[in-house]
Amino acid sequence: MKTVLRLVLIPTLVFVARQTAFASAQPSNIAFVGGTGGTAGVDAFSAAFAQLPDGGTIVLRGPVRLGENYAAPAHAARVMITSVHDGKDYRAEGAMLGFGETFVLGGPTTFASITLAADSKTPGIFCEGHPVVFDNGVECRAAKDGRFPAITGAARDSRRSGAEITVDSGEWHTLSGGASGGSSGNLSVTINGGRFNGVVLAAGTGLHKGDATLTLNGGMFFGGVAILGNSPKAAFRGSATLTINNGVFFNAIAAARNASAAFSGDYALAINGGDFTSVTDVSGTRDLRGDATSTLTALPGLLDKRNAGTLTFTNPLIPGADPWVFFHDGFYYATATGGTQLAIRKAANLPDLPRAETVVIYKPAAGKPWSRNLWSPKIYHFSESEVGAENAGWYLYLSANDGSGRPSQGQRMFVLRSLSGTPLGPYGSATGKHQPHVATRVSAAAKGSTFNKNWCGGAKILKHGGKLYAIWVSEVGDEFSKNTGDRYQTINIDRLINPWTIEGKGVVINRPTLAWEKHGAGPGKRGMYPEVVEGGTPVHAADGTLYLLYAGSGYWTPHYAIGVMKLTGTDPMNPAHWQKATRPIFKASDEVVGTGNACYVPSPSGKSNWAIYHAYVGTKTRGVPRQLFAEPYIADDKGVSIGAGRPLPPGTPLKIEANPIPLRQKISGFTTAP
């Protein structure tokens, strides 16, 4: 998880003044709930509203739980809900307000100095168009799965229009000014503080008719900020204004999170301050459906300010297996093995990956040879000079099967082409009509090539000496082999004619020959287990020296480790030109095991290089998920080393320089911009 120290200057005068005004106007009526040693429920909480016909304060003196679905009684005057009264904070005695999937407010409401506890997997507070304030001192407790409450401003039906929300504190999942099913009227959201793990939306994911204003004076916005959410049906008709005065921002600042959304009217974004180190995109309305215009204004010099300093993070980063992370045009893109679909993340910094939005890039229909067990996806870009103008673009390689047998059974190599011309896809067939979510089988041109029949996995592309090569893993023997060693994997290489065709003259450049590569091989519950070498990833040192880093031993064992081969000659397809190190360069520690199948990326400024590998936390390799780790590596003419040769203990702070790209280079899609 990422841990970053950043200075955020929140303009406290704004909400302090508002608090003072409210305090002087609030009625003296008070209703107490709980505090008798037990847990109060719906009846006691609802009765408190009945005691305050002219508004007032509800003080929680103990735990209160509202159940899965609760609607507060209707009230016209403002009611404050708090756990502090007369200088005493009842939270010290267990005071809290627990609620489930829906907590519907019945009128103007203020939450202050209170603990809000999520008792459901999808907890939500629905303001129903009433003016609602989440004042200072709001603490939120997440549900068991880690999700914090979400806030929805507008009413979920047409009985009330508009919304007015102010947030000063608390930790939240998402915030939406509009309702998911659509809304109307004027939406106003002001955020002065708090943490938002999901996206903050001025409108929502449905159709909104009316104006929307989102003003951000401070807070942490991990999920990004937008007017419209990530739905192709999201639409906006009116004037939208997003003003950013301060805060720390991640992911995208956008008119809409979905490229198929519709926007009619105008969108104005004003950037006056904030920390945008972890922002990936700032986008207007140009590429959306509709006739909207969009205008960006910013303080002088803010757009061209380059980020400096370092970011601190700890391992593991995110769940996943067979990672593929690459750096392109100043941003990181990450994907990993999937079962029925593949997703990608885009991040400005490696430590941002846990917060990065996932975008589905490949979701095939069932029953096809490329439908299931989508292993070891790799994404590459081929230039016009490499494959010709017609074939230039982004390609996704993977191995897959139809899912009818065991996950490993019948794996073959497939390739897809990006249909958007960007790494974010979506991807479709590499040839013909480029059908979305349909893969093209990689085949060999030479007649009689065994490549077209053999088991295949772990495709990689090597660009070396002006030539293109495909590298993959194949297997000799099967689960019915009689003796240990009769079944083993090989790393193979062949020339690439075009993105979907190899020559068919491939050669084996590595097979298990060393003791450390053979752990896990032998008879087992599922027949004969193979000796394993896989995941051969090319790495060029600064002087051009070529290495192939691979994983050895069974991935199901703690002994899975990273080895290295060096090209000592000039021809990658000549096995004699490769020299294999006799020992692994990176292997298990006492706290992290199964270290392997890594990819290798530079830091944003190129000052350091990082290996991204998968491993298990602890000593078990069965029934526990693999996760992604990052550690620095060095490659030169003398060899390759990763960290200290073993994983650092989980939670160890690591530093990497911040991505220096200024905000201006992240801007697109505005009608008018500085």
Side-chain angles (χ1 to χ4, degrees), residues 302-320:
L302 184 60
L303 298 184
D304 297 309
K305 180 182 178 182
R306 296 182 68 82
N307 305 310
T310 60
L311 302 180
T312 300
F313 70 97
T314 60
N315 283 318
L317 283 170
I318 54 176

mmCIF file of all heavy atoms in Angstrom, residues 302-320:
data_model
loop_
_atom_site.group_PDB
_atom_site.id
_atom_site.type_symbol
_atom_site.label_atom_id
_atom_site.label_comp_id
_atom_site.label_asym_id
_atom_site.label_seq_id
_atom_site.Cartn_x
_atom_site.Cartn_y
_atom_site.Cartn_z
ATOM 1 N N LEU A 302 0.833 27.081 -12.891
ATOM 2 C CA LEU A 302 0.424 25.826 -12.253
ATOM 3 C C LEU A 302 0.490 24.648 -13.223
ATOM 4 O O LEU A 302 0.912 23.548 -12.858
ATOM 5 C CB LEU A 302 -0.983 25.966 -11.687
ATOM 6 C CG LEU A 302 -1.529 24.763 -10.910
ATOM 7 C CD1 LEU A 302 -0.654 24.457 -9.703
ATOM 8 C CD2 LEU A 302 -2.964 25.030 -10.459
ATOM 9 N N LEU A 303 0.109 24.877 -14.475
ATOM 10 C CA LEU A 303 0.068 23.784 -15.440
ATOM 11 C C LEU A 303 1.449 23.295 -15.843
ATOM 12 O O LEU A 303 1.605 22.156 -16.285
ATOM 13 C CB LEU A 303 -0.709 24.205 -16.685
ATOM 14 C CG LEU A 303 -2.179 24.572 -16.480
ATOM 15 C CD1 LEU A 303 -2.833 24.875 -17.819
ATOM 16 C CD2 LEU A 303 -2.926 23.451 -15.771
ATOM 17 N N ASP A 304 2.462 24.158 -15.718
ATOM 18 C CA ASP A 304 3.811 23.793 -16.155
ATOM 19 C C ASP A 304 4.747 23.442 -15.004
ATOM 20 O O ASP A 304 5.937 23.190 -15.220
ATOM 21 C CB ASP A 304 4.412 24.938 -16.981
ATOM 22 C CG ASP A 304 3.624 25.199 -18.255
ATOM 23 O OD1 ASP A 304 3.369 24.231 -18.989
ATOM 24 O OD2 ASP A 304 3.247 26.354 -18.490
ATOM 25 N N LYS A 305 4.223 23.413 -13.802
ATOM 26 C CA LYS A 305 5.036 23.063 -12.641
ATOM 27 C C LYS A 305 5.367 21.581 -12.674
ATOM 28 O O LYS A 305 4.492 20.731 -12.752
ATOM 29 C CB LYS A 305 4.285 23.402 -11.355
ATOM 30 C CG LYS A 305 5.067 23.071 -10.093
ATOM 31 C CD LYS A 305 4.245 23.390 -8.850
ATOM 32 C CE LYS A 305 4.991 23.023 -7.580
ATOM 33 N NZ LYS A 305 4.169 23.294 -6.365
ATOM 34 N N ARG A 306 6.643 21.254 -12.615
ATOM 35 C CA ARG A 306 7.079 19.858 -12.632
ATOM 36 C C ARG A 306 7.124 19.317 -11.206
ATOM 37 O O ARG A 306 7.540 20.013 -10.278
ATOM 38 C CB ARG A 306 8.453 19.732 -13.301
ATOM 39 C CG ARG A 306 8.437 20.125 -14.770
ATOM 40 C CD ARG A 306 9.790 19.945 -15.430
ATOM 41 N NE ARG A 306 10.172 18.548 -15.549
ATOM 42 C CZ ARG A 306 9.744 17.734 -16.522
ATOM 43 N NH1 ARG A 306 8.917 18.179 -17.450
ATOM 44 N NH2 ARG A 306 10.144 16.475 -16.575
ATOM 45 N N ASN A 307 6.680 18.099 -11.060
ATOM 46 C CA ASN A 307 6.662 17.470 -9.744
ATOM 47 C C ASN A 307 8.071 17.076 -9.320
ATOM 48 O O ASN A 307 8.902 16.692 -10.144
ATOM 49 C CB ASN A 307 5.775 16.226 -9.776
ATOM 50 C CG ASN A 307 4.376 16.532 -10.268
ATOM 51 O OD1 ASN A 307 3.736 17.459 -9.787
ATOM 52 N ND2 ASN A 307 3.900 15.767 -11.230
ATOM 53 N N ALA A 308 8.324 17.163 -8.028
ATOM 54 C CA ALA A 308 9.644 16.821 -7.493
ATOM 55 C C ALA A 308 9.469 15.980 -6.237
ATOM 56 O O ALA A 308 8.369 15.774 -5.743
ATOM 57 C CB ALA A 308 10.434 18.089 -7.197
ATOM 58 N N GLY A 309 10.605 15.490 -5.726
ATOM 59 C CA GLY A 309 10.574 14.717 -4.497
ATOM 60 C C GLY A 309 10.399 13.238 -4.742
ATOM 61 O O GLY A 309 10.507 12.744 -5.868
ATOM 62 N N THR A 310 10.125 12.511 -3.679
ATOM 63 C CA THR A 310 9.979 11.057 -3.756
ATOM 64 C C THR A 310 8.654 10.632 -3.149
ATOM 65 O O THR A 310 8.041 11.354 -2.360
ATOM 66 C CB THR A 310 11.121 10.344 -3.009
ATOM 67 O OG1 THR A 310 11.100 10.744 -1.626
ATOM 68 C CG2 THR A 310 12.468 10.685 -3.616
ATOM 69 N N LEU A 311 8.222 9.453 -3.533
ATOM 70 C CA LEU A 311 7.043 8.819 -2.959
ATOM 71 C C LEU A 311 7.490 7.576 -2.201
ATOM 72 O O LEU A 311 8.428 6.891 -2.609
ATOM 73 C CB LEU A 311 6.051 8.426 -4.043
ATOM 74 C CG LEU A 311 5.541 9.546 -4.954
ATOM 75 C CD1 LEU A 311 4.575 8.982 -5.981
ATOM 76 C CD2 LEU A 311 4.878 10.646 -4.151
ATOM 77 N N THR A 312 6.814 7.292 -1.120
ATOM 78 C CA THR A 312 7.131 6.127 -0.297
ATOM 79 C C THR A 312 6.008 5.115 -0.412
ATOM 80 O O THR A 312 4.828 5.467 -0.363
ATOM 81 C CB THR A 312 7.317 6.539 1.175
ATOM 82 O OG1 THR A 312 8.383 7.486 1.261
ATOM 83 C CG2 THR A 312 7.658 5.330 2.029
ATOM 84 N N PHE A 313 6.370 3.844 -0.582
ATOM 85 C CA PHE A 313 5.366 2.793 -0.656
ATOM 86 C C PHE A 313 5.896 1.547 0.024
ATOM 87 O O PHE A 313 7.071 1.452 0.374
ATOM 88 C CB PHE A 313 4.986 2.497 -2.114
ATOM 89 C CG PHE A 313 6.072 1.809 -2.909
ATOM 90 C CD1 PHE A 313 6.067 0.435 -3.075
ATOM 91 C CD2 PHE A 313 7.097 2.545 -3.495
ATOM 92 C CE1 PHE A 313 7.066 -0.199 -3.808
ATOM 93 C CE2 PHE A 313 8.094 1.923 -4.224
ATOM 94 C CZ PHE A 313 8.081 0.545 -4.385
ATOM 95 N N THR A 314 5.009 0.578 0.213
ATOM 96 C CA THR A 314 5.395 -0.698 0.814
ATOM 97 C C THR A 314 4.845 -1.838 -0.035
ATOM 98 O O THR A 314 3.858 -1.685 -0.762
ATOM 99 C CB THR A 314 4.855 -0.833 2.246
ATOM 100 O OG1 THR A 314 3.428 -0.761 2.229
ATOM 101 C CG2 THR A 314 5.405 0.267 3.139
ATOM 102 N N ASN A 315 5.485 -2.981 0.039
ATOM 103 C CA ASN A 315 5.012 -4.196 -0.618
ATOM 104 C C ASN A 315 4.147 -5.013 0.335
ATOM 105 O O ASN A 315 4.351 -4.942 1.551
ATOM 106 C CB ASN A 315 6.209 -5.038 -1.073
ATOM 107 C CG ASN A 315 6.848 -4.499 -2.328
ATOM 108 O OD1 ASN A 315 6.160 -4.088 -3.250
ATOM 109 N ND2 ASN A 315 8.182 -4.488 -2.373
ATOM 110 N N PRO A 316 3.204 -5.814 -0.208
ATOM 111 C CA PRO A 316 2.882 -5.956 -1.628
ATOM 112 C C PRO A 316 2.058 -4.787 -2.147
ATOM 113 O O PRO A 316 1.411 -4.076 -1.377
ATOM 114 C CB PRO A 316 2.098 -7.255 -1.684
ATOM 115 C CG PRO A 316 1.460 -7.363 -0.334
ATOM 116 C CD PRO A 316 2.448 -6.768 0.634
ATOM 117 N N LEU A 317 2.078 -4.610 -3.486
ATOM 118 C CA LEU A 317 1.362 -3.509 -4.107
ATOM 119 C C LEU A 317 -0.113 -3.826 -4.321
ATOM 120 O O LEU A 317 -0.988 -3.158 -3.782
ATOM 121 C CB LEU A 317 2.004 -3.159 -5.452
ATOM 122 C CG LEU A 317 3.309 -2.367 -5.410
ATOM 123 C CD1 LEU A 317 3.939 -2.321 -6.793
ATOM 124 C CD2 LEU A 317 3.040 -0.953 -4.910
ATOM 125 N N ILE A 318 -0.384 -4.844 -5.127
ATOM 126 C CA ILE A 318 -1.752 -5.231 -5.463
ATOM 127 C C ILE A 318 -1.814 -6.748 -5.643
ATOM 128 O O ILE A 318 -0.794 -7.382 -5.888
ATOM 129 C CB ILE A 318 -2.251 -4.549 -6.756
ATOM 130 C CG1 ILE A 318 -1.278 -4.814 -7.918
ATOM 131 C CG2 ILE A 318 -2.445 -3.066 -6.550
ATOM 132 C CD1 ILE A 318 -1.725 -4.259 -9.246
ATOM 133 N N PRO A 319 -2.995 -7.337 -5.554
ATOM 134 C CA PRO A 319 -3.120 -8.772 -5.857
ATOM 135 C C PRO A 319 -2.880 -9.027 -7.343
ATOM 136 O O PRO A 319 -3.125 -8.162 -8.189
ATOM 137 C CB PRO A 319 -4.573 -9.089 -5.477
ATOM 138 C CG PRO A 319 -5.025 -7.957 -4.628
ATOM 139 C CD PRO A 319 -4.261 -6.759 -5.091
ATOM 140 N N GLY A 320 -2.395 -10.223 -7.666
ATOM 141 C CA GLY A 320 -2.218 -10.570 -9.068
ATOM 142 C C GLY A 320 -1.145 -11.614 -9.266
ATOM 143 O O GLY A 320 -0.331 -11.885 -8.381
#
